[in-house]
Amino acid sequence: MLVLRLLNVVAPAYFLCISLVTFVLQIFVFIPSMFRDPSTTPLFSPALLHGALFLFLSANALGNYVLVIQSSPEDLGKDLNLGKGAEVADWLDGSRSPGSALPSTHFCRLCARVTQRHDHHCFFTGNCIGSRNMRNFIMFCLYTSLACLDSLVAGMAYISATLSMSFADPLAFLTLLPHSISQFFSGALLSSEMFVILMLYLWLGIGLACAGFCCHQLLLILRGQTRYQVRKGMVVRARPWRENLQEVFGKKWLLGLLIPVQNVESSYRRQKEK
């Protein structure tokens, strides 16, 4: 448990550090290298368009990241009379009050609260993912993946121009790291260039991981399931996939796709207000 709590603190700091390094490299290294003569650069030049695209992706990724943290899943345990001395975990297991547990609820020991439609605990946000912040979490994964892949392309263009090498051969990227390490220790490669090369592989790994996680999460949403339900083997009521999507993304899904907006309220809160 101590290791998990430590990871819950280190992982968000690691993500913010990688985001800051990516932003600095893009704005102060990659994009300026695309300008040959700034005085004669047209308004819609590839460099300016790339800069605008990167800022759009970064703003959406960081905006949804903040909303995932702010839109924490509500603590259902506060509204329940668990009895004096009762543990929330025991209540959910049914040992204290059989039949009183709400469906799709889970007690997270790291967050110390009961959440509805619990999916998983995300260490990179230090928060549980549930009904209130699922859409923001998926948008965060999507735009993080796109921002990393965009940085990968810009970094490859920068390395190609700096080292006068071509990536036309698919094997060139696979052999870039071992070849660069040998050149770095022989003194033929600068430390700044080696750092950019290492970041290329980091962006590729993060981008593919976020893209795969986003696709897997969307597949579960289409089925009306959460990762917690799949892990516990819980049976869910079959519903049309459109209803499952609307429950997570809401009717104004297009707005949430373009700009970071807060997720819809959970179905538990709507039922409680009625």
Side-chain angles (χ1 to χ4, degrees):
M1 182 59 66
L2 180 61
V3 176
L4 294 179
R5 293 186 182 277
L6 181 62
L7 182 62
N8 206 40
V9 176
V10 174
Y14 173 78
F15 170 76
L16 293 177
C17 181
I18 294 297
S19 301
L20 179 61
V21 171
T22 302
F23 183 82
V24 171
L25 287 177
Q26 281 272 24
I27 299 300
F28 297 102
V29 179
F30 298 159
I31 295 178
S33 66
M34 299 179 186
F35 290 97
R36 296 182 179 180
D37 186 3
S39 60
T40 60
T41 301
L43 180 60
F44 296 102
S45 64
L48 291 177
L49 292 177
H50 172 77
L53 175 62
F54 174 73
L55 291 177
F56 171 76
L57 297 177
S58 300
N60 275 277
L62 293 178
N64 283 286
Y65 179 81
V66 173
L67 289 177
V68 169
I69 299 176
Q70 288 183 346
S71 304
S72 301
E74 52 195 343
D75 188 356
L76 303 181
K78 295 179 180 180
D79 302 324
L80 298 168
N81 184 14
L82 302 183
K84 187 176 180 179
E87 295 290 339
V88 179
D90 294 337
W91 170 75
L92 285 177
D93 292 337
S95 58
R96 293 287 181 177
S97 177
S100 64
L102 298 175
S104 304
T105 54
H106 174 65
F107 174 71
C108 178
R109 298 185 180 275
L110 294 176
C111 296
R113 58 173 173 238
V114 184
T115 58
Q116 185 193 24
R117 287 195 64 81
H118 175 87
D119 189 85
H120 69 283
H121 182 90
C122 177
F123 289 98
F124 285 99
T125 60
N127 200 6
C128 278
I129 307 301
S131 58
R132 294 187 63 190
N133 54 8
M134 176 59 74
R135 180 178 69 177
N136 296 123
F137 177 75
I138 293 178
M139 291 295 102
F140 159 68
C141 291
L142 174 63
Y143 280 105
T144 298
S145 174
L146 294 177
C148 287
L149 296 179
D150 176 81
S151 301
L152 174 64
V153 173
M156 290 176 62
Y158 173 78
I159 291 297
S160 178
T162 303
L163 302 181
S164 300
M165 62 179 302
S166 175
F167 288 97
D169 185 6
L171 297 178
F173 184 79
L174 298 178
T175 58
L176 175 62
L177 183 60
H179 182 66
S180 301
I181 292 177
S182 61
Q183 285 188 328
F184 175 74
F185 285 104
S186 63
L189 194 65
L190 299 177
S191 57
S192 58
E193 297 171 345
M194 186 65 197
F195 178 75
V196 173
I197 292 174
L198 292 176
M199 290 299 298
L200 293 180
Y201 290 90
L202 184 61
W203 288 326
L204 177 63
I206 296 177
L208 293 180
C210 288
F213 197 88
C214 183
C215 293
H216 175 68
Q217 206 70 43
L218 286 175
L219 180 61
L220 291 179
I221 292 175
L222 291 173
R223 295 175 177 176
Q225 293 178 308
T226 62
R227 293 182 63 190
Y228 176 74
Q229 291 173 338
V230 173
R231 188 168 65 251
K232 294 297 182 179
M234 298 180 180
V235 179
V236 297
R237 181 171 59 90
R239 295 189 308 175
W241 62 269
R242 294 180 182 272
E243 294 183 9
N244 296 327
L245 283 178
Q246 185 174 344
E247 183 181 7
V248 175
F249 292 94
K251 296 181 179 180
K252 299 180 181 179
W253 60 271
L254 184 58
L255 181 64
L257 185 63
L258 299 177
I259 59 176
V261 292
Q262 193 170 7
N263 200 356
V264 294
E265 295 183 344
S266 66
S267 58
Y268 172 78
R269 174 171 295 184
R270 291 196 299 266
Q271 293 174 2
K272 186 171 62 175
E273 290 177 352
K274 291 180 180 180

